Structures are given as C-alpha cells and as structure tokens.
Amino acid sequence: MNKKFISVIMAAILAVSTAAVSASAAEVEEEPSKNAGTIKFDASKWNAEYVNFYIWDETTDPDQFCSIDGWTDVNKWGSKKKLGGTKVEGEDNIFESFEIDFSGREDHDIFVIFQSDVQSFNTVLNESCIGHTAHLTGNILENPVDSEKTAEEAEFDNGVGSQLVITSSGKLQGTTVTPSTDRPGKVAEFVLTYLGQKEKLTQEDIVTEQSVADAINAFGTTADEVWDSYLKLNGREGYNEAEAKKFIKPTSASDDTSSTSDDTSSTSSDTSST
C-alpha cells in the first residue's frame, strides 16, 4: 500500500515537473526579438486621418514586404486596406507602425514610405530606427520612377534619412546610401534602363555624360567600377556596350580613343607622303 502511494506521488511530481519545463520552454519561445519594434511618423504637416507604413526589403529576391502579418512576398502597395498605422493617443498626428522584425536583415536594404492622401519619399529603415519618429523635412523631391510626380522627404530623429536614388529623369534625389548598396551597380542599371530615352517633360536625353558623371560622384564610385558592372548586364534588354561606353567613360575608353587617333594620324601621314 505504501509503495503504491509513493508511486502515485512520484508520478504526480513528474507530471508537474514536465508541465513546468513545457511552460518554461514556451516562455523562451515567446520572448520578443531584440531586433524588433515599432517606428513612428509625425504627420502634423499633413493633418492626416490615417498613415500607411509601406515597408519593403530590396535585398531579398524577390523583394519582401513587411505588414501587420510580418514579412511576406505579397506587395500591398495600392491596397484599399490600411497598412497598420495607429494614431498614438495623447500625441497630435503621431502614428505608430506595426511591429517590424529586423532579425536576419541587419545588413539589408530596407525602406519605408509613409502614405496618406500624399506620400513621403523612400526613407531608409533599419533596426536603429526602432522607437524613433520620422518627421517631414519640408523638401519636395522628384518621385523615383515618375518625373511628373513628387514626394515629401522624411528623416528619422536619429539622422537616418531619404534614400539616394537616380530618378527616371536622371536627377539625383535623397541623401542616404545604405552600407550594402551596390554603388557601381546602381549607376550601371541607370545607364542600361534609360540609355537613348528622353525625359517626358523636357524631351532631353536622360543619360548624358553629365548625369552619369554626377551619379558616379554621388554614389562614391568610379567610371571603371561602373563599366565593370555594366558589362555584367550583357544579355539584358537595352544592353548597348558601344553607346554606354561613351557616357560611362572608363579609362579604357581613352586608350581606345588614343589608339584610333594614332591610326588616323598614321593614315594621314601615309596619304601626305603619297
């Protein structure tokens, strides 16, 4: 009888211990990520009734998008459903995002657009922005993909600002280059995409010696690095090595020019001696 009673007690202790271990494991799993949190946006200049937080990661292939449902491949831009901005009680026109988890994305190119009846320009976003508020700077910038549209520049109060881009008209807009940005690649892609095209409003060439030189300087790269990146785009639609070289002007271009000049000089000399 005593042995049976002791067995029952031991079984009960084991059951309690197992439950405690399970509960402990659950608590560990539910511990929030240290790289997750919310951001805020000051919409006082808009007097907005709502603010969407449109967030995307350009480093992933394809791009991924963050919403109240976490990171997904679903692009909700243009969705009629509000994208998670919540008005902060007691603060005029301050809106807070859903939780954003940067775990595993610490070195990724992530951006946010704050959007209501109007929208902000692309703003760089990383884990350092958690708990911080973005404010409008007052600068109106050209939309990155449509030169007929504009967007308002925003900057976080920790100094993280707008993305440096080359727009569809060849203008440089924004201030910030992310650490993982492929600097020469950005300029090479610009040349590939817009070579031979005219700007919609002015009908001037988009890719010019000046626009390429300005882009090379702004992104802190070199003509040779951009040329190497352009060559890797061989096979893509619009690829034109001979034309692109005229605008990128790698050092090898001057060598070719010199060689052509020498040949012409030699021909000219032969002709005169004849």
Side-chain angles (χ1 to χ4, degrees):
M1 213 38 203
N2 288 340
K3 288 183 179 179
K4 187 174 181 180
F5 180 73
I6 291 172
S7 297
V8 170
I9 295 297
M10 291 298 292
I13 292 172
L14 182 59
V16 171
S17 299
T18 303
V21 170
S22 298
S24 177
E27 287 173 6
V28 170
E29 289 174 3
E30 292 173 4
E31 185 177 340
S33 168
K34 293 180 180 178
N35 292 329
T38 62
I39 58 173
K40 294 179 182 178
F41 175 69
D42 177 1
S44 55
K45 292 183 179 179
W46 290 351
N47 194 26
E49 291 300 318
Y50 70 94
V51 170
N52 287 331
F53 289 73
Y54 178 74
I55 298 169
W56 73 102
D57 183 341
E58 285 189 357
T59 306
T60 56
D61 188 18
D63 290 356
Q64 287 197 322
F65 307 88
C66 189
S67 69
I68 197 168
D69 302 316
W71 289 98
T72 71
D73 294 332
V74 180
N75 185 351
K76 295 187 177 181
W77 179 258
S79 170
K80 292 182 180 179
K81 183 179 179 182
K82 299 296 184 289
L83 302 180
T86 304
K87 201 165 188 178
V88 179
E89 290 186 19
E91 296 188 51
D92 290 339
N93 284 286
I94 301 295
F95 291 80
E96 186 172 17
S97 73
F98 41 84
E99 185 170 274
I100 308 159
D101 193 347
F102 294 95
S103 300
R105 300 174 189 267
E106 291 82 0
D107 59 348
H108 285 204
D109 290 340
I110 301 174
F111 306 97
V112 56
I113 288 176
F114 307 103
Q115 183 260 335
S116 185
D117 294 329
V118 289
Q119 71 176 65
S120 75
F121 194 78
N122 303 357
T123 307
V124 175
L125 180 64
N126 55 46
E127 65 271 22
S128 75
C129 300
I130 293 173
H132 289 276
T133 302
H135 304 267
L136 295 171
T137 67
N139 295 328
I140 306 299
L141 306 180
E142 184 179 296
N143 185 288
V145 295
D146 187 345
S147 60
E148 293 183 301
K149 297 179 180 179
T150 59
E152 300 189 38
E153 185 182 44
E155 181 178 88
F156 283 96
D157 52 24
N158 66 344
V160 176
S162 53
Q163 178 191 15
L164 177 65
V165 302
I166 315 170
T167 71
S168 59
S169 69
K171 290 189 181 74
L172 289 158
Q173 301 282 264
T175 59
T176 307
V177 182
T178 60
S180 55
T181 295
D182 177 2
R183 294 167 181 256
K186 288 288 186 183
V187 183
E189 285 281 354
F190 163 69
V191 175
L192 176 77
T193 303
Y194 296 106
L195 184 62
Q197 293 190 30
K198 302 285 186 181
E199 205 278 315
K200 286 192 297 184
L201 298 177
T202 65
Q203 286 302 299
E204 295 180 353
D205 289 333
I206 297 173
V207 176
T208 65
E209 290 183 23
Q210 190 62 55
S211 66
V212 175
D214 288 345
I216 289 172
N217 182 60
F219 278 92
T221 183
T222 68
D224 287 340
E225 289 174 338
V226 172
W227 181 243
D228 287 343
S229 291
Y230 186 84
L231 294 177
K232 294 175 184 176
L233 302 176
N234 192 357
R236 293 264 302 271
E237 183 179 354
Y239 184 86
N240 188 326
E241 197 169 310
E243 284 299 306
K245 196 170 190 178
K246 295 176 184 177
F247 299 102
I248 297 174
K249 291 188 173 299
T251 55
S252 56
S254 60
D255 294 340
D256 291 345
T257 304
S258 171
S259 172
T260 304
S261 177
D262 289 344
D263 290 342
T264 304
S265 173
S266 173
T267 304
S268 187
S269 174
D270 292 342
T271 304
S272 88
S273 64
T274 303

